[in-house]
């Protein structure tokens, strides 16, 4: 690890390349999972799509954990059939979930066969079944990505969903990034997690990372708004992604 900033409220780790990011973030996830299982018997995690799926699929299957205690949700999902290449669940199923001993009943995909608004309701019920109906769900860990526009989950800059305060899961039908229909966790759930972990690799993320981590934009970009109320916030970056950052180069 070439740099760890422990003093900041966010813990930013800059690593040499995507391979080292995969190694270090997967080790951190497993350590957190095993501690959660020891403390509370299960590990509740939300995973994001896009480039994160490969980082996790490359590193997690080789590591030791009790997969039967994992409860795997999706921070957001493209509302498309399972056989669509854009379906995040299917990407994880093929590259990660089929390679570890986790039962299907503990993985919680979106239902693409119903209208997207109903799917968001149905996903809320899946959360309620694991976390209960009282209070907000408290994820042990949310694994987040960030798009080149600063979006995270399916929460896009300037979109009214950024202000959602009631729903745990919301539908979006006008996503600026295709496919247009998605479901997403909302900020109340995100900010209530025990640990939010962003992973960003590659030079295409450098400019937006500078704005998110070192800018003072108002209104803040979606990724910059992630600040768990009582939980931790970590960023795992590779050097190309961090190349424009003053504080971490
Ligand atoms: O569309 C999405 O994009 C973001 C970022 O993806 P990346 O490939 O640029 O890392 C992802 O976090 C989100 O889950 C996904 O739906």
């Amino acid at each position: 690890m070439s740099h760890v900033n422990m003093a900041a409220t966010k813990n930013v780790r800059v690593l040499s390349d995507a391979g080292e990011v995969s190694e270090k973030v997967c080790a951190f996830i497993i350590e957190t999972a095993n501690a959660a299982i020891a403390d509370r018997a299960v590990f509740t995690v939300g995973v994001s799509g896009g480039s994160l799926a490969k980082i996790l699929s490359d590193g997690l299957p080789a590591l030791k954990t009790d997969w039967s205690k994992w409860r795997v949700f999706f921070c957001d999902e493209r509302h498309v059939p399972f056989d669509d290449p854009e379906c995040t669940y299917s990407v994880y199923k093929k590259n990660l979930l089929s390679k570890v001993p986790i039962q299907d009943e503990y993985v919680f995909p979106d239902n693409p066969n119903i209208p997207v608004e109903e799917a968001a309701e149905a996903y809320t019920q899946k959360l309620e079944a694991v976390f209960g109906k009282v209070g907000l769900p408290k994820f042990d860990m949310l694994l987040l990505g960030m798009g080149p526009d600063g979006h995270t989950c399916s929460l896009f800059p300037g979109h009214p969903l950024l202000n959602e305060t009631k729903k745990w899961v919301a539908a979006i039908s006008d996503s600026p990034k295709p496919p247009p229909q998605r479901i997403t966790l909302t900020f109340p759930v995100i900010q209530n997690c025990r640990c939010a972990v962003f992973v960003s690799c590659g030079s295409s993320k450098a400019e937006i990372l500078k704005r998110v981590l070192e800018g003072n934009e108002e209104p803040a970009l979606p990724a910059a708004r992630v600040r768990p109320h009582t939980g931790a916030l970590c960023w795992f970056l590779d050097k190309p992604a961090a190349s424009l950052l003053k504080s971490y180069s």
Side-chain angles (χ1 to χ4, degrees):
M1 194 174 304
S2 60
H3 189 97
V4 179
N5 180 2
M6 298 299 289
T9 49
K10 28 184 190 291
N11 184 343
V12 179
R13 304 178 190 194
V14 181
L15 301 151
S16 57
D17 55 22
E20 196 188 0
V21 168
S22 173
E23 184 192 324
K24 294 293 186 334
V25 77
C26 290
F28 179 64
I29 294 164
I30 293 292
E31 191 186 321
T32 307
N34 293 349
I37 292 164
D39 279 1
R40 295 181 292 280
V42 291
F43 174 56
T44 52
V45 62
V47 298
S48 296
S51 56
L52 181 68
K54 178 167 167 47
I55 301 260
L56 300 185
S57 302
D58 282 352
L60 285 177
L63 301 178
K64 280 200 100 172
T65 185
D66 183 350
W67 285 101
S68 72
K69 301 291 188 344
W70 286 48
R71 304 292 179 264
V72 179
F73 289 87
F74 294 85
C75 296
D76 70 321
E77 176 60 288
R78 292 100 183 252
H79 192 65
V80 293
F82 289 150
D83 63 2
D84 188 309
E86 294 280 8
C87 175
T88 295
Y89 162 72
S90 299
V91 171
Y92 276 99
K93 180 75 180 165
K94 179 172 173 221
N95 299 303
L96 172 62
L97 300 168
S98 61
K99 298 186 175 159
V100 297
I102 186 165
Q103 291 155 258
D104 286 348
E105 66 184 295
Y106 297 143
V107 178
F108 301 92
D110 170 43
N111 178 355
N113 301 314
I114 54 179
V116 69
E117 291 285 351
E118 280 175 39
E121 288 281 321
Y123 209 75
T124 304
Q125 286 164 17
K126 291 183 184 191
L127 287 172
E128 285 173 354
V130 169
F131 292 97
K133 291 185 180 187
V134 180
L136 285 162
K138 193 161 201 69
F139 276 95
D140 290 313
M141 184 173 272
L142 292 177
L143 291 160
L144 302 170
M146 181 187 61
D149 57 353
H151 84 268
T152 190
C153 300
S154 286
L155 298 165
F156 291 88
H159 197 280
L161 272 188
L162 298 181
N163 303 318
E164 177 60 52
T165 56
K166 299 252 171 344
K167 292 177 183 168
W168 295 2
V169 182
I172 173 167
S173 293
D174 57 355
S175 165
K177 177 179 175 182
Q181 292 201 330
R182 294 147 172 260
I183 63 167
T184 183
L185 297 182
T186 58
F187 270 115
V189 174
I190 294 170
Q191 309 293 36
N192 198 46
C193 74
R194 289 194 166 87
C195 182
V197 178
F198 277 96
V199 179
S200 278
C201 292
S203 56
S204 65
K205 297 287 164 75
E207 273 187 35
I208 194 68
L209 262 172
K210 184 164 181 56
R211 287 171 61 192
V212 166
L213 289 177
E214 295 183 343
N216 282 314
E217 283 177 49
E218 286 298 335
L221 289 162
R225 297 183 189 206
V226 174
R227 293 267 165 165
H229 298 309
T230 56
L233 174 60
C234 307
W235 285 80
F236 285 77
L237 312 175
D238 69 356
K239 280 187 180 162
S243 59
L244 298 179
L245 299 178
K246 281 202 185 73
S247 331
Y248 307 102
S249 50

